[in-house]
Amino acid sequence: MNNIKSVFSIKDLENLSGIKAHTIRIWEKRYNVLEPMRTETNIRLYDIENLQKLLNITLLHKHGYKISQISKLTGEKIPKLVKDIISDKSVKNHAISSFKMAMMNFDQALFSNTYNTLLSEKSFREVFYEIFIPLIEEIGILWQTNTISPAHEHFISNLIKQKLLSEIDSINVKTPVNSDRIYVLYLPMNEIHELGLMYINYEILNNGYNTIFLGESVPIKCLKDMKQHFENITYICYATVEPNSNEINNYIKKVNEKVLDETSALWLIGYQVQNVDIKLLSKKIRTFKTIKELVENIIS
């Protein structure tokens, strides 16, 4: 835990809040809204309280409050005002900020309280599409810019995964009503980012279809073995990192050659689909840009 990040640079604050570093400096200089520490070489550093305050200020500012007004508020007044103005229009930004703070502080109670509040007002599907997907996308950027550590990413991802598993468990007891096709969901070898795939599994099950969830790092041979047990298979592959841009097209060719037949299909989604050669696409092999697009093609 000694390696957990608790002090942030102004660039970290920019990445976490969406407010440009230049603007943060102006707010700080003109209005004293933040109180940074200084290194011996006069570099600004900010603690977790400054981060929390900036996230609250950002929400107020997006809600129409001028920074000159906000600067006159006391430290206790700002979070109270944030709570008072939360509406359908601002709940998304507030929830994402709360989840970020839960992540930065490894605060499971804050995560649960925020989630439960959202679920009292929205369906699980709305929470996932409106809050969790943008949050996951932001977390990816924060990780790439070294604003957060892998520990932060694992912490928040596992909490979201727990909620997904709970929802999936509640519908697994239902008997599928559509048995003409089965969906086999998997991550290719060396791919471990499974939240998106888990949500697709939830949507398919919730719409009364059969699924087999194989999870992460599945070799092609396992896909082939599924044909010994099932017919009319649609394989859904979520490729975020692997196969990489140099390997994705060869991977599709191998699956087509070794696995697919006249009754099966391969659907691909994830960051790497942008590198797929469109010449490889057919009725059997399709790519999707978003989870929503893929799900709509199943239930339509």
Side-chain angles (χ1 to χ4, degrees):
M1 291 296 290
N2 290 334
N3 294 323
I4 298 305
K5 197 167 190 174
S6 58
V7 177
F8 307 91
S9 68
I10 196 166
K11 189 65 178 177
D12 291 335
L13 263 62
E14 176 182 299
N15 292 333
L16 285 159
S17 69
I19 302 298
K20 294 294 185 183
H22 175 70
T23 302
I24 294 173
R25 290 190 189 96
I26 292 174
W27 287 0
E28 183 185 309
K29 184 176 181 180
R30 292 183 183 174
Y31 304 106
N32 295 315
V33 294
L34 299 177
E35 298 177 2
M37 302 171 283
R38 298 273 184 169
T39 66
E40 292 181 356
T41 54
N42 208 34
I43 295 174
R44 292 173 171 85
L45 293 175
Y46 303 82
D47 60 18
I48 199 79
E49 286 76 19
N50 275 284
L51 171 59
Q52 175 72 78
K53 186 176 182 182
L54 179 61
L55 290 174
N56 283 335
I57 289 172
T58 301
L59 188 140
L60 292 176
H61 191 59
K62 288 180 178 178
H63 207 75
Y65 285 79
K66 294 180 179 179
I67 191 65
S68 57
Q69 295 174 290
I70 299 171
S71 66
K72 297 174 183 177
L73 300 173
T74 63
E76 296 78 16
K77 181 68 175 176
I78 290 176
K80 184 180 183 302
L81 189 56
V82 166
K83 187 176 180 180
D84 291 342
I85 69 167
I86 293 173
S87 63
D88 288 340
K89 293 182 179 179
S90 63
V91 68
K92 174 182 174 180
N93 290 329
H94 177 69
I96 290 176
S97 292
S98 292
F99 284 136
K100 284 181 186 176
M101 287 308 303
M103 175 180 67
M104 301 312 298
N105 285 323
F106 296 92
D107 189 339
Q108 188 165 336
L110 177 57
F111 177 93
S112 296
N113 290 335
T114 304
Y115 176 77
N116 290 336
T117 299
L118 285 171
L119 210 58
S120 68
E121 302 168 355
K122 297 176 177 289
S123 68
F124 178 74
R125 180 181 285 106
E126 288 172 328
V127 172
F128 199 90
Y129 277 120
E130 296 176 18
I131 311 296
F132 282 158
I133 288 180
L135 177 66
I136 292 166
E137 290 172 348
E138 285 196 41
I139 288 170
I141 295 171
L142 295 174
W143 184 80
Q144 292 172 33
T145 56
N146 293 318
T147 303
I148 61 174
S149 69
H152 288 114
E153 182 187 20
H154 283 292
F155 174 77
I156 198 72
S157 295
N158 279 315
L159 288 176
I160 296 173
K161 187 182 297 185
Q162 288 174 24
K163 301 307 179 186
L164 261 170
L165 288 172
S166 176
E167 294 293 327
I168 290 170
D169 189 55
S170 68
I171 56 177
N172 259 333
V173 296
K174 301 178 182 177
T175 302
V177 295
N178 300 296
S179 57
D180 57 324
R181 176 159 291 271
I182 190 161
Y183 294 88
V184 174
L185 293 82
Y186 75 98
L187 300 180
M189 289 298 293
N190 302 314
E191 180 62 74
I192 60 172
H193 297 84
E194 63 178 351
L195 280 178
L197 190 71
M198 288 176 65
Y199 183 74
I200 293 171
N201 189 43
Y202 160 79
E203 284 278 19
I204 298 174
L205 288 169
N206 201 38
N207 282 282
Y209 290 89
N210 273 309
T211 71
I212 303 294
F213 189 89
L214 298 182
E216 61 187 58
S217 222
V218 175
I220 290 176
K221 183 181 182 303
C222 287
L223 304 180
K224 188 176 180 179
D225 291 343
M226 297 303 296
K227 295 166 65 177
Q228 299 176 24
H229 305 281
F230 303 100
E231 295 180 348
N232 299 322
I233 301 173
T234 295
Y235 298 93
I236 298 180
C237 172
Y238 211 116
T240 302
V241 177
E242 297 289 343
N244 63 42
S245 58
N246 296 320
E247 300 170 344
I248 185 71
N249 291 308
N250 283 333
Y251 178 80
I252 292 172
K253 291 176 183 177
K254 286 182 181 178
V255 174
N256 188 29
E257 177 187 337
K258 297 182 178 182
V259 180
L260 300 186
D261 56 26
E262 64 277 3
T263 68
S264 58
L266 173 66
W267 290 6
L268 299 108
I269 188 172
Y271 180 78
Q272 293 300 335
V273 300
Q274 65 182 326
N275 300 307
V276 173
D277 185 347
I278 60 172
K279 294 178 182 177
L280 296 176
L281 304 182
S282 64
K283 289 183 178 179
K284 291 195 301 181
I285 302 173
R286 302 178 61 184
T287 60
F288 299 88
K289 293 181 179 180
T290 66
I291 291 175
K292 193 170 185 179
E293 180 190 0
L294 187 149
V295 171
E296 286 174 350
N297 273 269
I298 291 173
I299 64 178
S300 60

